Amino acid sequence: MKQLHFKSMVCEASDKDPTLEVKSPFDGAVVGTVSVSAAEDIERALATAHRLFKNRRGWLAAADREAILRRAAQNMIDVAEDLAMLIAQEGGKPLVDARAETVRAIDGILSCAEAIRGNGGHVIPMNINASSAHRMAFTQREPIGVVVAVSAFNHPLNLIVHQVGPAVAAGCPFIVKPATDTPLSCLTLIDILRKAGLPEAWGQAIVLESNELASRLVMDARVGFFSFIGSAAVGWKLRSQLAPGVRCALEHGGAAPVIVAADADLDKAIPKLIKGGFYHAGQVCVSVQRVYAHQSIARNTADRLARAAESLVVGDPTKADTHVGPLIRPKELDRVDSWVQNAVAAGAELLTGGKRVGKTCYAPTVLFAPPADCEISQKEVFGPVVCVYPYDDIEQAFHAANSLQVAFQAAVFTRDFDTAIRAYHELDASAVMVNEHTAFRVDWMPFAGLRESGLGVGGIPYTFHDMQIEKMFVGVSP
């Protein structure tokens, strides 16, 4: 696949903007170049988007928005393999998983198109007392305003679909800032939307190297809705800078807990825990990280996880047989290794991994019984590390699972219905998977981080809803 070169996707921007080289996290090869925007580009983008929104007579009709999205989905189908390879090249996601992400992204665009047809309001009861006599009232939905989206690197196509697809469906002009590590998939999607008929001014993409500039984009009063996917530290800071009245959705990370009951079917559980723990080298916000296994099966669970982890192919993400690719940046490799070595020094047993593979990859790692107060037990590792903790009583497991300030998705493996229901009630999580790993997701389900893990509810129909207001009509008979 040849290198991609993107000029600025801000309307009327200069062609003389400095460029950023986008490099493969695996081998450092240049995948493409993009224009880097400055402060004046931010102002131009916001002014353009706000002007469009304020001109109500110029809003895109629902039929046009649906047609654009359906054409875009077909165009994505036509270049699906190129999209998957691009995800693997710029983001380091193994090709098998990049292909799955592309399929999800296409389905997500179609889900946005389908949401438009069910976008009705509702009737407000009238004529039920003297005050409401001779009146009728109903609601319809309108776009909330300019959408600003700031995205993450780990799903560089599908996350953008979740942020800008609903904006197109809702009729909101949008400005999207992709992660600097992986902007090419985002810019390709915006190009596809434009070729499908989306007017350029309605969908602008902006690449920024400075967090200060990102703050200027976010804190502007012309923003109607702010969508953020990324670290909690950045997300909560940006939320504090929003202008009054701006609505937002934040999606951060977690340290997903799994309860493995004494009666769990390990033959079925182990492959799912391996997938959930080492998918995209653990760089997933709901990746399996903390596995609480009953004392009677804990060592067996950990040993089987270690043997399965050792069989995974680590290396070049563009090869079809690779299971685990690189971490996104060398400093992340250093951090993960530091956390693992600190845990081992504090008493954890290293069953497999715990070492670098080449210059950019980390071996899938399984730790047994790390101390509860070490970093790897307290924070999101965002790397290919799974920890197994034995427990005697399931109440201990629930307490440990709920002990952190992050909470997102959780899981329980059991053959007993009562245990499953008990885990559902006891675990602090927005979703509890039964006999499934914590990273399970289909894109129409609600997806929400709790406490420090986020704010609001993701998932295409929920984001589509949040990017609109419900406007009421009240009429009196003449």
Side-chain angles (χ1 to χ4, degrees):
M1 185 175 178
K2 64 181 182 180
Q3 288 186 15
L4 297 177
H5 304 278
F6 283 100
K7 295 183 179 180
S8 177
M9 284 193 164
V10 175
C11 292
E12 301 178 10
S14 170
D15 291 336
K16 297 181 180 180
D17 288 333
T19 58
L20 169 73
E21 286 188 333
V22 181
K23 297 181 179 180
S24 162
F26 175 68
D27 59 12
V30 177
V31 183
T33 60
V34 300
S35 294
V36 177
S37 295
E40 56 266 28
D41 297 309
I42 293 174
E43 171 56 32
R44 187 179 297 110
L46 286 165
T48 298
H50 189 250
R51 184 171 60 251
L52 286 176
F53 176 68
K54 296 301 289 183
N55 179 20
R56 289 174 170 265
R57 294 186 180 181
W59 285 0
L60 298 176
D64 294 336
R65 303 195 304 267
E66 181 184 0
I68 289 166
L69 289 164
R70 293 193 182 279
R71 284 193 296 266
Q74 183 56 57
N75 293 344
M76 292 170 72
I77 291 171
D78 295 340
V79 296
E81 188 63 17
D82 288 342
L83 291 171
M85 183 59 72
L86 180 58
I87 293 168
Q89 288 179 319
E90 72 167 342
K93 178 177 286 187
L95 186 58
V96 62
D97 296 319
R99 286 170 174 158
E101 178 177 341
T102 301
V103 171
R104 283 181 61 188
I106 293 167
D107 189 61
I109 290 291
L110 289 172
S111 293
C112 291
E114 290 161 4
I116 295 172
R117 295 202 172 194
N119 192 37
H122 64 279
V123 174
I124 311 299
M126 293 287 162
N127 292 303
I128 57 176
N129 61 10
S131 297
S132 63
H134 311 299
R135 288 166 172 79
M136 62 177 295
F138 61 87
T139 66
Q140 291 187 328
R141 304 195 67 81
E142 289 187 353
I144 193 171
V146 176
V147 169
V148 167
V150 174
S151 204
F153 77 86
N154 53 337
H155 308 290
L157 180 63
N158 198 42
L159 292 183
I160 303 296
V161 166
H162 274 255
Q163 293 174 290
V164 309
V168 175
C172 297
F174 69 81
I175 304 165
V176 58
K177 189 200 88 64
T180 308
D181 294 301
T182 56
L184 299 175
S185 296
C186 170
L187 299 179
T188 299
L189 176 64
I190 304 309
D191 187 56
I192 286 171
L193 285 167
R194 289 177 171 184
K195 289 177 178 176
L198 183 70
E200 289 189 6
W202 282 83
Q204 301 178 87
I206 194 163
V207 177
L208 303 171
E209 288 187 293
S210 165
N211 286 335
E212 179 183 350
L213 286 178
S215 294
R216 292 181 63 172
L217 174 65
V218 168
M219 65 195 299
D220 197 281
R222 289 169 289 188
V223 177
F225 188 88
F226 173 52
S227 169
F228 177 84
I229 302 174
S231 74
V234 175
W236 291 114
K237 179 181 178 181
L238 290 175
R239 186 220 180 194
S240 72
Q241 297 172 338
L242 295 177
V246 177
R247 299 184 192 177
C248 72
L250 309 177
E251 183 182 309
H252 303 148
V258 179
I259 309 295
V260 182
D263 67 341
D265 185 338
L266 293 184
D267 290 337
K268 294 180 179 178
I270 296 298
K272 292 186 176 183
L273 293 174
I274 287 291
K275 185 63 178 179
F278 300 116
Y279 164 60
H280 198 9
Q283 298 170 115
V284 179
C285 62
V286 286
S287 176
V288 170
Q289 180 173 334
R290 299 178 293 148
V291 177
Y292 298 95
H294 189 267
Q295 183 69 51
S296 63
I297 60 167
R299 185 66 198 214
N300 185 32
T301 299
D303 287 341
R304 291 184 63 171
L305 282 171
R307 290 195 298 271
E310 289 169 354
S311 71
L312 298 176
V313 177
V314 181
D316 187 346
T318 65
K319 295 187 179 301
D321 62 346
T322 297
H323 299 113
V324 180
L327 294 182
I328 192 64
R329 290 179 293 274
K331 70 177 184 180
E332 295 304 312
L333 195 71
D334 295 338
R335 179 188 57 79
V336 170
D337 186 58
S338 172
W339 287 16
V340 170
Q341 303 312 324
N342 289 345
V344 172
E349 184 178 354
L350 178 65
L351 299 185
T352 191
K355 61 185 178 181
R356 302 165 194 264
V357 179
K359 295 181 179 179
T360 58
C361 299
Y362 200 76
T365 298
V366 178
L367 295 173
F368 187 69
D373 60 352
C374 66
E375 294 152 312
I376 215 152
S377 297
Q378 291 287 316
K379 301 177 182 178
E380 180 184 26
V381 64
F382 222 61
V385 182
V386 173
C387 303
V388 179
Y389 307 83
Y391 71 86
D392 292 314
D393 183 88
I394 200 167
E395 283 296 332
Q396 296 174 329
F398 293 148
H399 178 76
N402 294 339
S403 64
L404 306 184
Q405 286 303 306
V406 291
F408 213 137
Q409 297 195 159
V412 58
F413 285 84
T414 182
R415 305 182 207 220
D416 182 67
F417 182 76
D418 288 341
T419 301
I421 292 297
R422 187 177 176 189
Y424 170 76
H425 285 298
E426 294 288 343
L427 287 169
D428 288 344
S430 60
V432 176
M433 311 301 166
V434 177
N435 296 323
E436 184 57 87
H437 63 69
T438 57
F440 174 82
R441 183 182 184 185
V442 291
D443 296 307
W444 55 88
M445 75 186 220
F447 191 69
L450 306 179
R451 298 204 291 265
E452 291 183 9
S453 291
L455 179 69
V457 180
I460 282 171
Y462 303 92
T463 302
F464 174 65
H465 179 273
D466 285 348
M467 288 181 177
Q468 299 175 89
I469 64 166
E470 193 164 17
K471 188 174 183 179
M472 186 167 63
F473 172 98
V474 180
V476 183
S477 299

